[in-house]
Amino acid sequence: MSKKNTIYDQLCQHARETALIGSIEELLGWDEQTGLPPAAAKYRADQMAYLAGLVHRRQTAPQLGECLETLAEGPLAADPHSETGATIRGLRRSYDRKTKLPQMLVEELTRTAVLGQQSWVAARKQNDFASFQPLLETMVALKRQEVEAVGYEDHPYDALLDEYEPGEKTANVTRILARLRDALVPLIQSIADSQRVAPIEILRRSFPIEAQESFGRKMAAQIGFDFERGRLDVTHHPFCTGLGPHDHRITTRYNENFFNGGFFSILHESGHGIYEQGLPTAQYGLPTGSAISLGIHESQSRLWENLVGRSRAFWDGAYAEAQSAFPAALGSASLDDFYFAINDVRPSLIRVEADEATYNLHILIRFELEQELVSGDLPVGDLPGAWNDKYEAYLGIRPSKDADGVLQDIHWSAGLIGYFPTYSLGNLYASQFFEAAAAELGDGNNGSLDEQFRRGQFQPLRDWLCEKIHTQGQRYSAAELVEQVTGSSLSHDALLRRLRGKLGPLYGVS
Ligand code: ZN
């Protein structure tokens, strides 16, 4: 074995051990969200800060930097898309970013995130932004320290965005979202002018929580979420977390009088889980066994939630089962009405319950406010008012309380600033991937994707996504992958084509 091979093996061993410690921190985080007694929060914050510090020390160890330096010039790094090349490139990227962050800052960010989330839960419940404001101020100040430590060229927000969407720039996201907005606003307007109104009261009937859970579990398993390697629990805000190569956990929240919240969150988080479960397990802890970016991650959740789960073909196959799961609510409702109801388009206050068309405006609002918080132009105390003003300007509605406004999302309390735009990028990637899948899979013996969905058959699509996207790990950047899988770079065209194709017939618009 050559010396460089030995160094490479040590590098991988080091990364795998770091991932092992990181997975323990994730487990503590999952436990914190699902069942931590309130009085335990402070000690849990200490536990997680300790592990975060340990991970950070390992990820920034000078010997690691020396190894990466040696390997970067050698043959193992020559092909950036090979297993060794992608591993060296990915670990180096992480090392370079993390060596810029002082350990004190990392520990403070982790501690503030735990306390911030506890404070956010209470503030949301009591509709009391003022009680959450001091922790959010601390968090924004820490994120601004992070920006200065990491550095940036054009916009301070670039330094935060890059963590979630490597290589992406604020200016480019602004441009893409503006194109999307310019096309969506007239479409949403013509839908409002159409006078056709979806019968959404169907979704507000009584949906017993036990039935929601068992129906959701069944559909999650049917689309391919593996419950032998995962589980489903209830939290304030739905999420998916990976605790090991064979342990991927998803959560949802149920409302007995609203079908969408629980069910579509399950499909959404299952999509995240299916991506994680499709990553190469032998590469766990290494870049080639890790997700590319949050935008690509989100493309997988959106694809299953919206492109599959809100399609007519899916419900052609699943509606009879839904009717027997919820006889009181759906027994007398026609499939046409149910399908129209789950594809209702109208401005609303809550992002996670927003329809596919208006959703991206919710993201644009957060994206703009975050940039102002990070640049210092917007003091945290002015945030609720600024939030409400933007909702009024973009969606024509104004929250009457902060619980339905600025307090609705967990992200900022957890320090996730720069994260929201990846949701819209995910919508764009999902539509582009799905078009390619429909073209490639529609010719085989299984019939079109729609015909497969009507039979409850989702494995060909899941296998296609697994082969083209999941098993690739981080061999390619998000931009390279979308080009490779779909033959063109990211654009808003596929998403618009799909929304027009679906909403046109429902609302009689074009
Ligand atoms: Zn998601």
Side-chain angles (χ1 to χ4, degrees):
M1 193 182 277
S2 77
K3 186 162 175 255
K4 279 192 178 165
N5 262 346
T6 313
I7 294 174
Y8 179 76
D9 291 342
Q10 286 170 356
L11 182 78
C12 291
Q13 183 57 28
H14 186 270
R16 286 179 198 275
E17 277 182 36
T18 306
L20 184 96
I21 301 166
S23 69
I24 298 168
E25 192 193 342
E26 288 290 325
L27 175 57
L28 292 180
W30 173 83
D31 178 72
E32 186 217 331
Q33 298 285 322
T34 53
L36 194 71
K42 270 209 155 50
Y43 195 70
R44 177 55 49 88
D46 290 341
Q47 291 174 315
M48 290 179 67
Y50 178 81
L51 288 177
L54 192 56
V55 165
H56 185 70
R57 275 197 294 282
R58 290 182 61 87
Q59 286 172 329
T60 55
Q63 304 100 300
L64 178 61
E66 287 160 22
C67 278
L68 287 165
E69 198 70 38
T70 307
L71 291 165
E73 305 305 321
L76 295 176
D79 176 1
H81 300 138
S82 68
E83 188 179 316
T84 56
T87 301
I88 293 164
R89 175 168 45 82
L91 291 174
R92 183 147 200 208
R93 189 186 165 277
S94 155
Y95 176 83
D96 286 347
R97 184 177 174 98
K98 289 182 195 310
T99 46
K100 293 175 179 170
L101 295 180
Q103 180 152 343
M104 281 280 284
L105 177 58
V106 174
E107 290 182 9
E108 268 319 298
L109 278 164
T110 306
R111 194 186 309 276
T112 305
V114 173
L115 298 176
Q117 287 171 75
Q118 298 291 334
S119 166
W120 168 78
V121 168
R124 183 178 184 220
K125 206 168 174 178
Q126 289 149 21
N127 187 39
D128 180 11
F129 181 80
S131 71
F132 173 55
Q133 186 180 327
L135 272 159
L136 187 56
E137 280 168 347
T138 304
M139 181 55 85
V140 170
L142 291 170
K143 296 308 277 189
R144 293 180 70 183
Q145 286 178 39
E146 183 178 334
V147 165
E148 291 312 316
V150 170
Y152 58 93
E153 283 174 16
D154 301 324
H155 194 291
Y157 190 84
D158 283 343
L160 301 179
L161 177 63
D162 190 72
E163 181 169 7
Y164 308 113
E165 204 62 21
E168 195 54 85
K169 297 285 179 230
T170 307
N172 190 46
V173 176
T174 301
R175 196 160 42 236
I176 293 175
L177 290 186
R179 283 180 192 155
L180 195 59
R181 179 197 58 210
D182 292 348
L184 279 178
V185 167
L187 178 66
I188 293 165
Q189 188 58 50
S190 64
I191 285 171
D193 294 342
S194 79
Q195 307 296 324
R196 287 197 197 173
V197 180
I200 53 168
E201 63 79 26
I202 292 171
L203 306 171
R204 299 271 177 197
R205 293 173 182 172
S206 170
F207 293 87
I209 285 169
E210 307 82 73
Q212 286 192 52
E213 200 202 326
S214 63
F215 182 71
R217 262 177 205 284
K218 186 159 189 189
M219 290 300 142
Q222 202 169 354
I223 63 168
F225 182 78
D226 182 356
F227 280 96
E228 290 292 309
R229 302 171 64 211
R231 55 180 284 156
L232 168 66
D233 294 274
V234 175
T235 48
H236 293 283
H237 193 96
F239 66 88
C240 169
T241 184
L243 309 181
H246 301 288
D247 191 350
H248 306 282
R249 304 189 181 189
I250 58 174
T251 70
T252 191
R253 60 177 174 212
Y254 300 107
N255 174 344
E256 185 159 3
N257 298 111
F258 188 49
F259 174 76
N260 288 11
F263 180 73
F264 287 107
S265 292
I266 291 176
L267 283 196
H268 179 99
E269 301 305 334
S270 294
H272 283 304
I274 289 168
Y275 181 20
E276 294 273 330
Q277 289 176 338
L279 292 166
T281 53
Q283 311 297 322
Y284 184 77
L286 300 177
T288 46
S290 305
I292 298 167
S293 72
L294 288 190
I296 295 296
H297 224 306
E298 197 63 13
S299 76
Q300 300 306 291
S301 57
R302 302 274 152 160
L303 189 145
W304 289 107
E305 177 195 357
N306 291 330
L307 284 74
V308 177
R310 283 189 164 87
S311 71
R312 176 67 190 222
F314 178 89
W315 290 104
D316 282 340
Y319 193 59
E321 186 142 6
Q323 284 183 305
S324 59
F326 312 106
L330 300 181
S332 61
S334 73
L335 173 55
D336 283 345
D337 281 351
F338 177 80
Y339 172 67
F340 194 8
I342 59 167
N343 285 294
D344 172 57
V345 172
R346 77 182 73 192
S348 65
L349 294 172
I350 307 295
R351 175 185 62 86
V352 296
E353 292 169 5
D355 61 78
E356 283 185 87
T358 58
Y359 187 89
N360 297 292
L361 298 177
H362 290 258
I363 296 306
L364 192 65
I365 288 168
R366 288 155 176 78
F367 177 53
E368 290 178 355
L369 291 172
E370 285 185 337
Q371 290 178 58
E372 291 180 45
L373 286 173
V374 169
S375 66
D377 293 342
L378 178 67
V380 171
D382 294 345
L383 184 58
W387 177 286
N388 294 347
D389 289 347
K390 280 195 189 288
Y391 265 77
E392 196 154 4
Y394 292 0
L395 287 154
I397 48 176
R398 194 176 181 88
S400 59
K401 53 179 184 174
D402 290 335
D404 291 337
V406 71
L407 286 174
Q408 70 182 267
D409 294 310
I410 196 172
H411 300 62
W412 294 341
S413 74
L416 300 174
I417 298 177
Y419 187 115
F420 280 119
T422 66
Y423 291 131
S424 278
L425 291 171
N427 284 335
L428 298 162
Y429 284 128
S431 289
Q432 216 162 308
F433 288 144
F434 193 78
E435 261 190 8
E440 286 183 36
L441 293 171
D443 297 337
N445 296 330
N446 286 320
S448 70
L449 271 189
D450 277 354
E451 284 159 4
Q452 295 170 32
F453 295 171
R454 278 185 204 109
R455 294 194 296 268
Q457 193 180 8
F458 302 100
Q459 196 172 340
L461 176 60
R462 197 190 67 220
D463 289 350
W464 186 92
L465 294 167
C466 194
E467 181 204 328
K468 304 273 180 183
I469 299 166
H470 309 172
T471 55
Q472 302 299 321
Q474 292 179 359
R475 279 173 195 259
Y476 302 93
S477 71
E480 288 167 343
L481 187 81
V482 77
E483 183 98 38
Q484 177 172 304
V485 174
T486 72
S488 47
S489 58
L490 184 66
S491 115
H492 63 294
D493 292 336
L495 175 58
L496 273 178
R497 256 195 302 279
R498 200 175 56 73
L499 287 176
R500 288 197 175 116
K502 179 197 269 191
L503 300 173
L506 280 174
Y507 284 96
V509 299
S510 55

